[in-house]
Amino acid sequence: MVSLWENWRNSAGMRRRGPKFDTVGGPSTYAVELTKRHSSVSLTEQGADNGSLRVNLSWRMRSSDFDGRTGRRGSLRHPLQALKPQVVQAHTQGVVDVDLDLACMYELADGSKGVVQPLGNFLGDWNSPPYVKLTGDDRFGSPSGETIYVNLDHKDDIKRLLFFVYIYDGTPAFDRTHAILTLFPSNGPRVEVGLDQRAPQARSCAVLLMQHEKDQLVVRRQVRYVYGFQSELDRLYGWGLQWGRGYKAGKV
């Protein structure tokens, strides 16, 4: 099976063929890639608006940032250089410590609003409102990443969901990571959104908005970076929540 990152790198070539949506992978790994040009897809039309929707965030460090002023790794003069661990340099001196967090603001049909996120241990609920559940917090960018589940059997109870990513701690380094948000519906192709823009000082990014539009459950690419945290995204999208300082378990 073609890996997620190989699919992502190959997507540029697929775009030149001009399909209705940018597509990634073969028949067994088919995906819809949301881009600036094709920024939305109807889950209803895809037959993917019921059952369990898995929303996954994965990331890895950009390998292209490792050469810079020190020269290309693994040159003929220094063939063993390629075997040394790759250190990611921040914009100032020191090593980048990237901790991307996946979160979701929700607004339900009854008017209730809130957030599902690692900060404050707001993990949500699958069988009860908000029908959105965070499974854990990955602090190291492991292959499994971070995952939120949405119970689309209760889609009529959900007005809108905003999936966003933020850097809780460490150096702002969206421009030093390859990050991708993937929706895995119970039916139909997966949907992918890449955080592929350079925003070196940003701490948060609104990635994907899901809402009802003319009896369709639609997801729209956002990829809007901000330099603050959740409260700034709240103001941008008019959520109207009250925000305070939060902490992760084991951190102060």
Side-chain angles (χ1 to χ4, degrees):
M1 180 178 293
V2 180
S3 70
L4 178 64
W5 300 112
E6 288 171 339
N7 283 336
W8 191 10
R9 288 196 298 269
N10 292 335
S11 64
M14 297 294 295
R15 284 197 290 271
R16 290 193 293 269
R17 302 178 187 177
K20 182 178 179 181
F21 296 103
D22 295 325
T23 57
V24 181
S28 63
T29 60
Y30 176 71
V32 171
E33 182 186 19
L34 298 185
T35 63
K36 289 182 179 180
R37 182 178 180 184
H38 300 301
S39 61
S40 67
V41 63
S42 169
L43 295 182
T44 303
E45 290 182 354
Q46 300 286 336
D49 62 349
N50 54 58
S52 172
L53 175 67
R54 179 163 61 96
V55 183
N56 178 259
L57 171 70
S58 295
W59 72 93
R60 63 180 176 84
M61 304 311 296
R62 289 180 184 269
S63 60
S64 61
D65 287 336
F66 296 133
D67 73 347
R69 293 170 298 177
T70 60
R72 300 181 65 178
R73 295 176 60 85
S75 65
L76 293 176
R77 292 183 61 188
H78 303 284
L80 298 181
Q81 185 71 18
L83 302 179
K84 294 183 179 180
Q86 295 177 334
V87 176
V88 183
Q89 294 297 324
H91 299 281
T92 57
Q93 293 296 322
V95 178
V96 173
D97 179 18
V98 181
D99 180 11
L100 300 185
D101 283 325
L102 174 63
C104 176
M105 289 187 209
Y106 63 84
E107 181 177 2
L108 303 183
D110 64 5
S112 57
K113 302 177 183 179
V115 66
V116 173
Q117 64 178 19
L119 284 179
N121 203 37
F122 295 113
L123 302 182
D125 198 284
W126 169 257
N127 292 309
S128 302
Y131 309 108
V132 179
K133 177 69 175 177
L134 176 68
T135 60
D137 176 22
D138 170 29
R139 299 185 183 180
F140 305 102
S142 67
S144 61
E146 296 193 356
T147 300
I148 288 177
Y149 287 90
V150 181
N151 187 347
L152 291 183
D153 289 337
H154 290 271
K155 61 179 180 291
D156 292 337
D157 297 311
I158 298 172
K159 182 177 180 180
R160 59 174 178 160
L161 301 175
L162 178 67
F163 297 99
F164 64 97
V165 177
Y166 62 94
I167 299 175
Y168 165 73
D169 201 4
T171 303
F174 274 113
D175 66 328
R176 297 300 182 94
T177 62
H178 280 302
I180 188 166
L181 186 72
T182 306
L183 307 186
F184 296 89
S186 56
N187 297 295
R190 69 182 187 270
V191 179
E192 298 180 352
V193 181
L195 279 66
D196 52 4
Q197 298 178 20
R198 296 277 177 159
Q201 298 302 318
R203 283 198 170 272
S204 305
C205 180
V207 182
L208 195 69
L209 182 65
M210 178 187 300
Q211 60 187 0
H212 293 276
E213 299 180 12
K214 298 180 180 180
D215 299 324
Q216 302 274 316
L217 187 61
V218 176
V219 291
R220 291 189 176 275
R221 178 187 183 273
Q222 305 297 301
V223 191
R224 301 176 70 176
Y225 293 91
V226 300
Y227 298 99
F229 291 97
Q230 294 91 325
S231 59
E232 191 168 344
L233 290 174
D234 185 309
R235 288 192 295 271
L236 189 62
Y237 287 88
W239 231 267
L241 299 176
Q242 298 295 320
W243 298 92
R245 179 64 174 169
Y247 300 94
K248 289 187 181 182
K251 289 201 174 188
V252 294

